[in-house]
Amino acid sequence: MNKPITRGELSAADGAEAIRARYRRDDSPSPPVWNETLDLLLAHRSIRAYLPEKIPAETLATVVAAAQSASTSSNLQVWSLVAVEDEARKSRLADLAGNQQHIRDAPLFLLWLADLSRLENIGKAQGRDAAALPFLEMFLTAAVDAALAAQNALVALESLGFGGVYIGGIRNKPEEVAKELDLPPGVFAVFGMAVGRPDPAKAGGVRPRLGQGAVLHREQYAWNEAQREAVAAYDEKFRDFQKEAGLPEQGWIRQALSRVRGPESLSGRDRLKEAMRALGFALK
């Protein structure tokens, strides 16, 4: 279970244990120092089962402050957030996101938005042009801003003993989601986040990640033997994790390639460009 920050003393040995749990490799790096922030980050896991406990409004306000403390490109702050607690609305959004029950079960569902509408409205009010907003660069800026803010928010939630899971399925039917949330043109729901107090009876283990040999390049990108070894080793470790979690033992390679096998594997998101244009993004 994601754990709140405490004031207990942490050592480099604690860090080595946490990093090894993340990679499940004997050659996992050993940190020279360790602290509560690193311990919290390495303990992260997605939470899909929650206790029936609402998140206080004051807690949400604190989490939003943490989200707004994330970096934002050129201080444009082109993101917004919709917090949903209404049971009927959560259920409709769950249907639109692929019938994900944990959206219904979570006491709070957050929708992270790329929001170019605010600057558009400010420009109109000031009588000034905002002609750069329709370009792809601006949507990418807004999506990155939303992701940075959301990650800050999730870390803040975990520090308070809550947990959550990102919901990419909210992009399955973006026009319907926009209608449900009454989004104006130029606002797009990038992803959702189901949030709540984790149910300790249904806590999962730390999901292993690709070894650093697969993701860390030095000076220039290279697909080489170190990369291939890291992927092969991870496939085996991930299969072990699936077995422990009672999941189908298909390994990571098969699972990942199945997810990108073709347009039909994108759950409707293959028409994302068309949907975004319908929602007011010209994407020049």
Side-chain angles (χ1 to χ4, degrees):
M1 179 172 65
N2 295 337
K3 50 190 177 183
I5 287 181
T6 64
R7 295 188 179 276
E9 289 295 325
L10 295 170
S11 67
D14 295 316
E17 181 180 347
I19 292 175
R20 192 183 186 288
R22 179 58 73 189
Y23 292 117
R24 296 193 176 199
R25 292 179 60 118
D26 293 333
D27 61 352
S28 297
S30 296
V33 295
W34 199 245
N35 58 44
E36 291 176 336
T37 301
L38 291 168
D39 204 55
L40 180 67
L41 291 171
L42 269 289
H44 166 75
R45 66 208 69 186
S46 293
I47 300 298
R48 296 178 174 85
Y50 313 97
L51 296 176
E53 174 186 334
K54 288 190 175 297
I55 295 178
E58 297 81 4
T59 299
L60 177 59
T62 301
V63 167
V64 172
Q68 290 189 276
S69 297
S71 297
T72 170
S73 181
S74 300
N75 198 32
L76 292 177
Q77 305 179 66
V78 278
W79 65 272
S80 289
L81 178 65
V82 175
V84 175
E85 295 179 294
D86 180 78
E87 297 297 332
R89 177 163 286 115
K90 281 192 299 174
S91 185
R92 291 192 295 270
L93 289 167
D95 290 340
L96 294 173
N99 194 30
Q100 299 191 50
Q101 182 61 36
H102 39 277
I103 296 176
R104 300 184 183 93
D105 295 339
L108 178 64
F109 188 47
L110 302 176
L111 284 302
W112 298 89
L113 313 175
D115 184 357
L116 301 182
S117 177
R118 183 165 52 242
L119 283 179
E120 177 77 20
N121 290 333
I122 292 171
K124 288 178 180 178
Q126 296 291 318
R128 298 183 60 179
D129 289 336
L133 291 178
F135 283 81
L136 177 60
E137 163 61 17
M138 289 308 306
F139 172 75
L140 185 59
T141 295
V144 171
D145 264 19
L148 294 174
Q151 187 63 14
N152 257 31
L154 184 56
V155 172
L157 284 160
E158 291 177 350
S159 77
L160 297 170
F162 295 97
V165 59
Y166 285 95
I167 307 295
I170 210 67
R171 298 189 300 277
N172 289 2
K173 297 181 177 179
E175 295 102 328
E176 289 91 334
V177 169
K179 183 177 181 180
E180 179 65 46
L181 301 178
D182 197 22
L183 303 183
V187 180
F188 182 83
V190 184
F191 49 82
M193 182 189 290
V195 174
R197 184 80 69 182
D199 184 345
K202 299 178 181 178
V206 172
R207 186 181 296 256
R209 294 289 196 255
L210 284 163
Q212 291 190 9
V215 301
L216 176 60
H217 305 264
R218 297 192 181 276
E219 308 301 338
Q220 292 183 312
Y221 188 100
W223 175 252
N224 53 31
E225 188 57 37
Q227 297 261 324
R228 289 187 285 273
E229 185 279 330
V231 170
Y234 177 64
D235 192 61
E236 181 180 343
K237 302 298 182 184
F238 195 71
R239 193 182 301 273
D240 291 341
F241 170 81
Q242 289 172 322
K243 182 177 181 180
E244 294 167 10
L247 301 170
E249 297 174 44
Q250 58 180 331
W252 179 76
I253 293 174
R254 180 181 175 187
Q255 178 176 296
L257 291 180
S258 176
R259 183 64 181 81
V260 298
R261 67 185 182 276
E264 72 283 357
S265 68
L266 297 179
S267 303
R269 285 173 255 179
D270 53 301
R271 55 176 298 278
L272 204 53
K273 186 183 294 186
E274 172 190 338
M276 290 179 64
R277 284 176 173 157
L279 294 172
F281 291 88
L283 301 183
K284 295 180 180 178

